[in-house]
Amino acid sequence: MHLTKLFNWHYLKQNMKKSKGVILLFLILVPVFTALVTMLSVHNISFVKVANPIELVWVNIIGLYIIPFVLSFTLFGYVYKRTSVDFINSMPINRKTIFITNTIGGIILIAIIQCVTALILWLCSMMFPHYVIFTSFIVDILIMMFVSYVFVFLVANLAMTISGTFLTQIVLTMLILFFIPFLMDTYHQFSQSETYRFLNGNTEFQHQVEVNKTEYTMPYRIFSIMVYGNDTKLYSNKSIDKMLLLGAIYFVLGMYLFYKRKMENTEESFASTSIHLIIKALTIFPMIVILNQIEAEMEWNIVLIALVIVYYFLFDLIVKKKVTFPVSIVGIVATLFILQGMYMGTQTIKKILPEKTLAKEDIKAFSVSYYPFHYRDIQEDFLDNIYIEDEQMCEYLLNAMYQQKYNDKDPTITSTLEVCFKTKTGDTLYSYVSFSPEMYDAILDKISQNNDYMTAVREALLKSKSVLIQNLDADDEKIERIISEINNTIRQMDLKQIYELQSSNTCDISLYDYANHTLVKQKFPIDITETTLKISAEILNQHTEDVIKQIQHDDTKYRSFYLQDAKGMMIESSSNFTFFSYTQEDMIACIMDSVGETFDPMQPYYVIIGNIEDYDQVYFFTNKVEEIHAMIEKERQMNRVSYDTVTNLNQ
Amino acid sequence: MIKIANLTKSYGKKIVLENLNCHIKTNSIYGLIGANGAGKSTLLRIINDIFKRDSGSIEIDGKEVENNQELKQNLVFVPDDLYFFPNYTLMDMAKFYEAMYNHFDMAYLKELAEILKLDTNSKVSNFSKGMKRQCALICAICTNADYMFFDETFDGLDPVIRNLLKKIIAKQMEKKNTTIIMTSHNLRELEDICDNLGLLYKGGILFESDIDSLKTNMFKIQISLTGNFNKDTFQELEILNFKKIGSVATIIIKGDQAKAESILKKFHPIILDFLPLTLEEVFIYEMEVLGYAFNQVV
């Protein structure tokens, strides 16, 4: 058969023409709302902001669960009406051609939606330079959402081939998309046989580790991220590969089933009652699982079971438009018994299966990272890629974990590492383990000797394109100098220094990049080197001067000032207070008098911190130590006078 | 020529068509009659590859129908329940047909629409039921397909429009050697338009014949003789039905009319009238011959 016979442009054009209003609406919905969301995010921000991927794509994500269904219904909806089936299928066009043409048409429409959305995001990134949207992120979104939309569209088309109504198509699509991942997730969640435990005989401590979960297709993955929040990385190569493979299978299967479809099966749920009952039972299974997981009062359980029964009848009413009570009552009782029995059976089997205990023979490789990294927003992708195959070290770490003391009150425990093992069976096990200082040092010492690991850790910290200093942008030359300074410093640090690199008490330099499909954020103290401090101070001082100029003569704007010394310690204005109320004008004068002056990080200095209404916190670095000392003295004196006055009045 | 052999189709456990065999000549109008639910529409849908058959074969001009896109360019089907895209005008619908059929004649459609006084730019949904049928029919005719299938399409049309459409169809048949297959459960609807008739009963074609031979081969007489007489009096004739009320008998005879007349004249009848039979009557008596009670059939 010629390829031209498989695709009929005239049919596609006419098929789209008949629903042009709906198609046009859904074509512009995602791009328009994405543009609006982006503009709302940009609106009223007085500082530079790096776009959060989920913040930008949530409209697209919602669309993922609606638009492919609408497209499938628009293009294939004729199969649900007897009159339209007669009309369309009597036309000189084969079923295969109809399926392929409509599928390609739908994919083209999805491509248009995603391309326009990507274009709008790119235009926004051009129009609003203070709202940083990485181009690589836009490309990722384009690929990820396009493949995901196409996947849902193909699943919806597959469901259409055996459904008699649009509602049954939706139910079936949902089952194909969510049922198997839900079952697997439930199994992982409750399966004791999948859980490794570290047994410590002395303290009866059982340490459960997380087994790396299977990466599902995007519709379930995104749903899982949104609902459970268990993964922040939106893009997944494995998910995309899986969707491409499954999508191809579903397409071929859909084409075959469409060719074989009994077109007389319209306005009925499915061609056979048994399929209807199976589908209905499958939709009830998640409810049974949830019912079993809820440890509620008996009354609540009865209410929930009643809801399941109502759902059972409602399902028939919606998808079949009729309820046969005697059959349905027998059906619901049988379904509940069978499903509950199945669930309890699997629970029993799980309990019988022996628990696994991790032994050194099971471990293939390991990786570690410093626990506090998580609190500093550093993404640890390198952990997923760099594993050290060192049998001796694996054994050492395993022994360390078995011997660890798990007592929060124990003062000898100082440091926590995330230990990650790759087992010979392919499992990845993560575990946070606390170590005594000696053991911690010994482990870091051992790991530092591995060049691959050290390179990976440093690379993880060095890859950055965008630099923000307390949410303020810098010019290219300054960014380059800061990145270069930080990189040079990191290269000279050993592992322990890197791990224990603390945030600044004043403010941080944030380094951003969208790399390996993830928004990488890293924070470093602005005084990591003298150069970084000097550049940062210049940028911060300039911003503070600009803000002060704007609010100097505007008494309606609330402002408060604080002082910090070079070590980052807050200066007390009076006993236990840091708020400088009597020297506000002096501080503003000091800032304005310093316009054009150069800050020298080598000289003693103070930082004036201002909280000004409608503005982010402002920082001003000054070497006018004498002037500041005078202000501190004046503030303390005024506070003392005030305190004495109040005390006298009280007496 | 349409050749259907051993066609079987069932909906679940219900067998609708069973080992159906049928031959439809080219350039004829074939009327398919049968009671409601006899399977007329199902047969047309299977011929048009809308429904899949369980077994059997359908060949049109020697080519298998199933999955044959080229062949379907020569088939057009107008179902009993018509479908028009929402908010479409007759012109929009015609454009759809034009996109699907290679030989669609748009100029002819405009001409026919003018004859039938159908506004091509009005929404079809605003048309009356009869006007919608006219729209569907002229769209189908303008496809210039060799085989046209009309499922109870003429039912309910007013006599003027029926006559007009018959003329249009006749012209089309003359122009393109078109074969028309139409169904109805009302014989009177088909009587004056079809060349051939087939009766669908219990999943098969029970009886088929061309209308001319049906009508010329069977006739009704009213006869009265001077003496006493009964059915056995006329043993030389092939009597399908004999009813006698008083001295006058009504007889349905199959065979040659001239021969029958010469035989009957030998009895010197007081009354001898040859009356025409309606198609409905022809079918009733043919069915009785086949052993079916008419009231069970139509």
Side-chain angles (χ1 to χ4, degrees):
Chain A
M1 185 179 260
H2 294 298
L3 281 175
T4 47
K5 285 183 181 172
L6 293 173
F7 181 79
N8 188 325
W9 165 244
H10 294 298
Y11 172 71
L12 180 65
K13 200 170 76 174
Q14 291 295 329
N15 201 15
M16 286 184 177
K17 185 185 157 191
K18 76 171 186 353
S19 316
K20 55 181 183 291
V22 179
I23 289 175
L24 200 67
L25 176 71
F26 282 92
L27 220 56
I28 60 167
L29 219 54
V30 170
V32 165
F33 274 92
T34 303
L36 281 174
V37 166
T38 313
M39 281 172 187
L40 283 172
S41 303
V42 176
H43 179 67
N44 261 349
I45 57 169
S46 57
F47 48 87
V48 178
K49 191 178 169 187
V50 175
N52 179 343
I54 292 184
E55 190 179 284
L56 280 182
V57 295
W58 67 265
V59 175
N60 222 334
I61 286 171
I62 292 170
L64 176 64
Y65 301 100
I66 300 168
I67 290 170
F69 284 98
V70 175
L71 282 180
S72 180
F73 182 70
T74 307
L75 295 165
F76 286 106
Y78 84 89
V79 297
Y80 300 131
K81 213 173 170 188
R82 205 174 292 275
T83 50
S84 49
V85 163
D86 281 347
F87 181 70
I88 298 292
N89 282 112
S90 69
M91 291 291 149
I93 181 166
N94 285 339
R95 288 191 186 186
K96 270 184 193 167
T97 313
I98 290 176
F99 190 84
I100 293 170
T101 303
N102 282 344
T103 305
I104 292 173
I107 292 171
I108 291 169
L109 290 175
I110 290 168
I112 293 170
I113 292 172
Q114 293 309 326
C115 286
V116 174
T117 309
L119 186 69
I120 281 177
L121 281 177
W122 180 77
L123 285 174
C124 285
S125 73
M126 296 287 115
M127 280 164 63
F128 311 111
H130 57 298
Y131 192 59
V132 183
I133 306 172
F134 292 99
T135 312
S136 49
F137 162 69
I138 297 172
V139 174
D140 263 7
I141 289 300
L142 176 67
I143 294 167
M144 185 183 78
M145 295 317 283
F146 172 70
V147 176
S148 305
Y149 271 60
V150 169
F151 178 69
V152 178
F153 176 66
L154 292 174
V155 173
N157 292 349
L158 175 66
M160 170 277 299
T161 60
I162 57 164
S163 301
T165 65
F166 183 48
L167 278 167
T168 47
Q169 182 192 353
I170 293 174
V171 171
L172 203 55
T173 310
M174 290 298 184
L175 277 175
I176 299 170
L177 289 177
F178 294 106
F179 190 68
I180 292 171
F182 175 79
L183 281 188
M184 288 177 78
D185 251 10
T186 310
Y187 182 75
H188 281 306
Q189 204 176 344
F190 293 99
S191 169
Q192 290 182 6
S193 61
E194 293 271 316
T195 308
Y196 290 85
R197 285 163 188 259
F198 300 106
L199 301 174
N200 188 325
N202 297 331
T203 56
E204 291 179 0
F205 162 66
Q206 292 188 347
H207 191 78
Q208 193 167 323
V209 294
E210 287 175 32
V211 178
N212 197 22
K213 300 271 165 52
T214 314
E215 292 213 40
Y216 303 114
T217 54
M218 287 310 280
Y220 185 83
R221 208 180 120 77
I222 291 173
F223 175 79
S224 178
I225 291 170
M226 294 295 168
V227 175
Y228 306 119
N230 54 6
D231 197 341
T232 50
K233 192 175 168 184
L234 209 55
Y235 189 97
S236 162
N237 270 330
K238 278 184 188 168
S239 284
I240 288 176
D241 292 347
K242 212 174 228 182
M243 283 190 291
L244 288 171
L245 180 69
L246 284 173
I249 294 168
Y250 291 162
F251 172 72
V252 175
L253 188 63
M255 189 164 64
Y256 173 76
L257 290 173
F258 189 71
Y259 177 71
K260 291 279 174 192
R261 183 188 156 92
K262 289 188 169 182
M263 285 294 173
E264 57 268 32
N265 173 34
T266 55
E267 296 153 30
E268 269 285 324
S269 59
F270 296 102
S272 83
T273 316
S274 50
I275 296 177
H276 175 83
L277 289 171
I278 291 167
I279 297 291
K280 189 162 60 171
L282 289 178
T283 62
I284 290 175
F285 191 74
M287 298 184 201
I288 301 281
V289 173
I290 293 163
L291 265 175
N292 278 284
Q293 287 175 22
I294 297 170
E295 290 174 7
E297 298 288 320
M298 183 55 91
E299 291 85 354
W300 273 108
N301 277 331
I302 291 167
V303 170
L304 290 168
I305 290 168
L307 280 174
V308 173
I309 294 168
V310 169
Y311 163 80
Y312 195 86
F313 289 110
L314 218 60
F315 185 90
D316 277 0
L317 207 62
I318 294 169
V319 301
K320 285 192 91 177
K321 295 190 181 84
K322 63 179 179 190
V323 178
T324 325
F325 274 97
V327 177
S328 292
I329 288 166
V330 174
I332 180 77
V333 172
T335 308
L336 283 174
F337 267 102
I338 293 167
L339 293 180
Q340 182 65 27
M342 278 168 63
Y343 182 80
M344 287 168 76
T346 51
Q347 295 302 303
T348 315
I349 291 166
K350 276 185 231 161
K351 280 175 190 164
I352 297 166
L353 289 171
E355 289 175 3
K356 291 178 189 174
T357 307
L358 195 66
K360 66 175 181 180
E361 294 77 26
D362 300 327
I363 303 167
K364 189 182 172 194
F366 79 97
S367 190
V368 294
S369 77
Y370 188 55
Y371 185 48
F373 261 33
H374 297 276
Y375 297 113
R376 293 179 52 218
D377 287 337
I378 293 173
Q379 305 294 319
E380 295 168 87
D381 283 343
F382 66 90
L383 254 184
D384 294 333
N385 303 320
I386 293 294
Y387 284 91
I388 303 166
E389 288 192 28
D390 184 333
E391 210 174 298
Q392 202 186 350
M393 195 63 211
C394 286
E395 191 182 350
Y396 185 83
L397 273 171
L398 191 65
N399 286 338
M401 281 197 291
Y402 274 90
Q403 288 160 23
Q404 74 170 317
K405 293 175 181 176
Y406 201 72
N407 186 346
D408 290 344
K409 289 171 187 167
D410 190 337
T412 60
I413 291 171
T414 53
S415 303
T416 305
L417 286 173
E418 185 184 1
V419 179
C420 186
F421 284 126
K422 208 57 154 188
T423 67
K424 284 172 183 166
T425 53
D427 281 339
T428 311
L429 300 112
Y430 297 93
S431 178
Y432 294 120
V433 188
S434 301
F435 295 96
S436 65
E438 299 78 34
M439 200 170 268
Y440 172 76
D441 287 345
I443 289 167
L444 291 196
D445 193 38
K446 283 249 177 191
I447 298 167
S448 300
Q449 290 163 22
N450 187 298
N451 287 336
D452 288 344
Y453 183 86
M454 288 308 295
T455 311
V457 171
R458 289 198 175 106
E459 283 301 314
L461 296 172
L462 301 180
K463 53 178 181 188
S464 290
K465 287 176 190 164
S466 186
V467 173
L468 297 181
I469 295 134
Q470 203 66 25
N471 292 329
L472 295 174
D473 203 3
D475 61 44
D476 291 346
E477 188 245 322
K478 283 175 182 165
I479 288 173
E480 212 170 290
R481 278 174 65 197
I482 288 172
I483 292 175
S484 161
E485 273 293 313
I486 291 174
N487 287 358
N488 288 337
T489 312
I490 295 288
R491 283 193 190 100
Q492 285 158 18
M493 285 177 163
D494 63 23
L495 189 58
K496 194 176 177 183
Q497 284 172 317
I498 291 172
Y499 276 171
E500 293 176 3
L501 196 60
Q502 295 297 317
S503 298
S504 163
N505 286 332
T506 313
C507 48
D508 292 312
I509 296 172
S510 300
L511 272 72
Y512 291 88
D513 193 13
Y514 190 80
N516 194 22
H517 314 293
T518 313
L519 182 65
V520 182
K521 293 187 284 180
Q522 293 166 24
K523 281 182 182 174
F524 295 97
I526 57 166
D527 53 359
I528 188 168
T529 69
E530 277 158 13
T531 312
T532 58
L533 178 60
K534 185 173 167 57
I535 298 169
S536 304
E538 276 173 24
I539 294 164
L540 288 164
N541 283 4
Q542 183 60 54
H543 175 68
T544 307
E545 283 165 16
D546 293 343
V547 171
I548 294 295
K549 271 179 201 166
Q550 286 175 46
I551 60 109
Q552 199 173 6
H553 305 294
D554 183 0
D555 293 335
T556 60
K557 297 268 185 232
Y558 174 80
R559 76 279 313 254
S560 60
F561 289 93
Y562 304 85
L563 273 175
Q564 208 175 52
D565 65 15
K567 289 174 185 167
M569 301 300 290
M570 294 301 285
I571 308 295
E572 288 185 348
S573 54
S574 64
S575 181
N576 293 328
F577 282 100
T578 53
F579 173 53
F580 281 69
S581 55
Y582 297 103
T583 48
Q584 271 192 27
E585 293 308 316
D586 300 334
M587 286 190 184
I588 289 171
C590 172
I591 291 166
M592 296 316 293
D593 289 348
S594 306
V595 174
E597 284 182 14
T598 313
F599 170 72
D600 185 357
M602 301 294 283
Q603 301 298 316
Y605 67 90
Y606 279 95
V607 186
I608 301 171
I609 302 170
N611 283 334
I612 294 160
E613 193 181 339
D614 291 345
Y615 293 90
D616 206 20
Q617 206 161 44
V618 294
Y619 299 86
F620 190 82
F621 291 73
T622 179
N623 296 116
K624 292 180 176 173
V625 176
E626 297 303 320
E627 217 172 302
I628 295 293
H629 283 165
M631 277 185 236
I632 295 168
E633 189 52 39
K634 181 182 172 186
E635 185 75 24
R636 285 177 181 166
Q637 257 185 19
M638 295 298 283
N639 270 319
R640 264 198 299 274
V641 172
S642 171
Y643 177 77
D644 292 343
T645 313
V646 174
T647 312
N648 290 336
L649 279 171
N650 285 341
Q651 282 170 355
Chain B
M1 180 167 190
I2 301 174
K3 196 176 161 187
I4 302 168
N6 300 319
L7 181 72
T8 300
K9 171 72 184 175
S10 54
Y11 296 140
K13 286 174 187 169
K14 190 190 169 197
I15 298 169
V16 183
L17 301 173
E18 192 173 16
N19 288 323
L20 184 142
N21 293 286
C22 177
H23 288 193
I24 298 168
K25 284 189 293 179
T26 307
N27 200 24
S28 66
I29 304 181
Y30 188 93
L32 194 62
I33 58 158
N36 290 327
K40 302 182 296 292
S41 303
T42 302
L43 177 60
L44 293 196
R45 285 185 177 109
I46 293 171
I47 297 173
N48 281 280
D49 200 22
I50 298 167
F51 288 179
K52 297 277 173 194
R53 56 184 176 250
D54 298 341
S55 62
S57 70
I58 302 170
E59 284 182 6
I60 296 179
D61 296 337
K63 291 172 192 161
E64 175 56 52
V65 171
E66 195 171 2
N67 209 27
N68 194 336
Q69 207 158 276
E70 287 79 25
L71 182 65
K72 281 186 85 180
Q73 281 287 341
N74 292 323
L75 315 183
V76 68
F77 174 55
V78 180
D80 50 350
D81 277 339
L82 299 171
Y83 179 79
F84 299 97
F85 292 125
N87 298 317
Y88 263 41
T89 63
L90 173 56
M91 187 47 69
D92 292 332
M93 287 304 295
K95 280 179 184 165
F96 183 84
Y97 275 92
E98 191 182 28
M100 302 308 297
Y101 283 91
N102 298 337
H103 304 294
F104 189 85
D105 190 343
M106 187 60 91
Y108 190 41
L109 181 117
K110 286 175 186 166
E111 191 186 320
L112 289 179
E114 209 174 311
I115 292 168
L116 292 163
K117 296 185 172 41
L118 294 169
D119 183 359
T120 53
N121 294 316
S122 288
K123 283 182 185 173
V124 182
S125 56
N126 295 333
F127 287 166
S128 71
K129 200 178 165 188
M131 285 163 86
K132 282 177 185 168
R133 286 201 179 281
Q134 292 167 46
C135 288
L137 269 165
I138 62 168
C139 282
I141 288 165
C142 292
T143 58
N144 282 317
D146 293 337
Y147 293 88
M148 296 185 181
F149 300 84
F150 301 137
D151 191 5
E152 298 183 12
T153 309
F154 285 85
D155 293 12
L157 286 177
D158 70 65
V160 179
I161 297 295
R162 270 169 62 87
N163 279 330
L164 200 55
L165 286 169
K166 270 182 219 167
K167 281 179 191 166
I168 292 167
I169 287 170
K171 192 179 163 191
Q172 184 69 16
M173 285 181 74
E174 198 181 315
K175 193 169 75 179
K176 284 279 296 176
N177 276 347
T178 314
T179 307
I180 313 273
I181 296 95
M182 52 174 64
T183 69
S184 180
H185 55 269
N186 188 348
L187 264 170
R188 285 188 197 91
E189 299 278 354
L190 301 179
E191 189 176 354
D192 52 349
I193 192 168
C194 294
D195 307 320
N196 291 278
L197 277 177
L199 176 71
L200 198 59
Y201 181 66
K202 286 191 175 172
I205 298 282
L206 189 66
F207 168 82
E208 62 179 336
S209 176
D210 62 286
I211 284 184
D212 288 343
S213 59
L214 266 177
K215 282 190 170 181
T216 53
N217 201 31
M218 199 183 288
F219 44 91
K220 181 161 68 175
I221 57 164
Q222 278 187 332
I223 190 164
S224 180
L225 302 182
T226 44
N228 198 14
F229 66 98
N230 59 22
K231 192 180 175 184
D232 294 335
T233 313
F234 312 104
Q235 280 180 349
E236 286 177 73
L237 299 169
E238 193 184 338
I239 296 173
L240 300 178
N241 191 281
F242 183 92
K243 272 181 198 164
K244 191 180 172 195
I245 301 166
S247 60
V248 180
T250 306
I251 310 170
I252 308 295
I253 293 169
K254 194 174 183 183
D256 183 49
Q257 191 179 336
K259 193 183 164 190
E261 195 175 350
S262 68
I263 292 168
L264 290 169
K265 277 185 178 169
K266 285 179 195 168
F267 293 100
H268 306 291
I270 303 164
I271 304 166
L272 179 62
D273 286 332
F274 281 81
L275 303 169
L277 274 172
T278 63
L279 200 57
E280 200 170 310
E281 285 171 311
V282 172
F283 260 84
I284 290 167
Y285 299 123
E286 284 284 3
M287 288 308 99
E288 281 179 6
V289 171
L290 289 167
Y292 293 93
F294 182 77
N295 57 6
Q296 282 183 303
V297 180
V298 183

